[in-house]
Amino acid sequence: MTQPAYDVVAIGNAIVDILSPATDAFVEDNGMTKGAMALVFSPEDADALYAKMGPGQEVSGGSAANTIAGMAALGARCAFIGQVADDQLGAVFAHDIRAAGIRFDTAARAGSPTTGRCLIFVTPDGQRTMNTFLGASHYLPQDALDRALIADAAYLYLEGYLWDPEEPRAAMRAAIDVARAAGRKVAFTLSAEFVIDRHRAAFHELIDHGLIDVLFANEAEIVSLTQAADTEAAIAAVKDKVPLVVVTLSEQGACAIRGDERVQVPAEPVAQVVDTTGAGDLFAAGFLHGQTHGHDLERSLRLGAICAAEVISHFGARPLADLKALAAERLG
């Protein structure tokens, strides 16, 4: 097997986050569940909700894209596959990801729908309530895959959010086959409980067939996947089926389980939680970076915690501080 040219190639939603401060009352009055993510299925509904937003800021987002941006900031060699439209937000997304040093070759899609956007309302406690219109991301076709690129990356990283629509689901399934045939590893993040509810059987099929090498989840997601009584029972249900299981535990930190080895680290201290958008994405960035660079589980977990702490200290799901410097300072 040849040495890969890239550490990670990710496939995910190519969307732009629009963040705005909001009160708890605003979130409740507009029928949102605080701290949750809901899909907006029509552009008209997305426009109506956008019109209600206060002043905000636009930041390129998407779960897997955020992870790749974090890895690139740490010095990893990364590429991204995702669908944008040929419009202003699509140009913003493409510029941002390429400016981060990430290879992005997916051609923009002409016509409707528009590039995906996530309307994020951030309450004073830092919780983010997301309303996502996936737009063009729903239409990532198999023929957009660069199979040689996928085969030339140590890891293929996939986000569960994109498993929902049929066309990109087929593309990701094909990408898994390419990665496995090339002897590469596949990392998968479950993303959200509503995704698991829709595709629990499919996710179990991937796991049972040994197609997932690294599984990322938070406590609620892994319990939802296994329908176990609690987090520990859920971990026990999957740890012998997936070579490496990584579970974030909110303020309790995170743990990684590889066979009989289990390591847990505490969360990194944060002076003030401003916006929790992207915390899991950046945790995955740090952890995967550690794994692609030969770190043990503890160091990889700590790097993930450092990256997550940085991103929740400001608005937006992409790092603002120098992650390399932070890692050097805190890990030594």
Side-chain angles (χ1 to χ4, degrees):
M1 185 169 59
T2 59
Q3 187 71 16
Y6 294 90
D7 295 310
V8 177
V9 57
I11 302 178
N13 284 311
I15 63 178
V16 176
D17 293 339
I18 304 172
L19 301 101
S20 178
T23 63
D24 289 341
F26 178 91
V27 170
E28 183 177 354
D29 291 346
N30 283 276
M32 305 176 207
T33 301
K34 181 179 173 180
M37 199 285 279
L39 290 177
V40 180
F41 292 99
S42 76
E44 293 79 15
D45 288 342
D47 288 342
L49 187 56
Y50 178 65
K52 296 180 180 180
M53 295 185 84
Q57 63 183 94
E58 295 178 353
V59 183
S60 291
S63 177
N66 293 336
T67 296
I68 288 295
M71 292 192 69
L74 288 165
R77 303 161 298 165
C78 302
F80 181 76
I81 298 171
Q83 188 70 71
V84 297
D86 186 11
D87 57 16
Q88 182 179 358
L89 286 183
V92 168
F93 181 91
H95 169 270
D96 287 352
I97 201 161
R98 289 169 181 154
I102 298 163
R103 178 174 170 180
F104 177 60
D105 299 331
T106 311
R109 186 176 188 271
S112 62
T114 59
T115 296
R117 50 193 144 140
C118 184
L119 309 179
I120 304 176
F121 298 90
V122 185
T123 44
D125 59 358
Q127 284 293 313
R128 79 281 190 268
T129 302
M130 301 185 292
N131 300 268
T132 304
F133 173 62
L134 292 171
S137 286
H138 264 187
Y139 298 93
L140 177 72
Q142 285 194 49
D143 61 16
L145 298 178
D146 185 333
R147 286 166 167 77
L149 175 64
I150 294 167
D152 208 13
Y155 280 83
L156 170 67
Y157 181 75
L158 305 172
E159 64 169 272
Y161 284 129
L162 198 58
W163 201 265
D164 211 41
E166 181 177 354
E167 200 165 6
R169 180 167 67 247
M172 289 198 292
R173 190 61 184 81
I176 291 173
D177 291 341
V178 173
R180 304 301 300 189
R184 308 308 189 189
K185 293 184 177 182
V186 177
F188 192 92
T189 178
L190 291 173
S191 293
E193 291 172 76
F194 82 87
V195 177
I196 298 166
D197 288 341
R198 293 172 187 251
H199 302 290
R200 186 177 289 107
F203 292 168
H204 277 293
E205 183 180 359
L206 292 175
I207 290 169
D208 291 343
H209 284 79
L211 299 178
I212 305 299
D213 297 290
V214 185
L215 181 68
F216 288 96
N218 64 26
E219 294 175 278
E221 291 160 2
I222 199 163
V223 167
S224 177
L225 174 70
T226 61
Q227 299 183 296
D230 54 36
T231 303
E232 290 304 317
I235 290 172
V238 297
K239 74 179 185 65
D240 294 328
K241 298 179 180 180
V242 180
L244 180 54
V245 179
V246 185
V247 183
T248 55
L249 307 168
S250 190
E251 67 274 2
Q252 300 302 313
C255 65
I257 303 93
R258 181 162 51 201
D260 294 330
E261 180 186 11
R262 176 171 175 152
V263 179
Q264 184 165 337
V265 302
E268 284 286 310
V270 180
Q272 181 183 4
V273 176
V274 175
D275 172 18
T276 56
T277 309
D281 303 336
L282 267 293
F283 174 85
F287 184 88
L288 269 183
H289 182 79
Q291 290 296 286
T292 59
H293 286 73
H295 299 335
D296 61 18
L297 292 183
E298 181 179 5
R299 190 175 179 88
S300 296
L301 285 168
R302 288 187 61 201
L303 184 54
I306 289 166
C307 292
E310 189 283 333
V311 82
I312 66 175
S313 67
H314 57 76
F315 272 115
R318 301 280 174 94
L320 297 181
D322 184 336
L323 292 185
K324 283 185 183 180
L326 278 178
E329 175 188 338
R330 300 185 186 181
L331 289 177

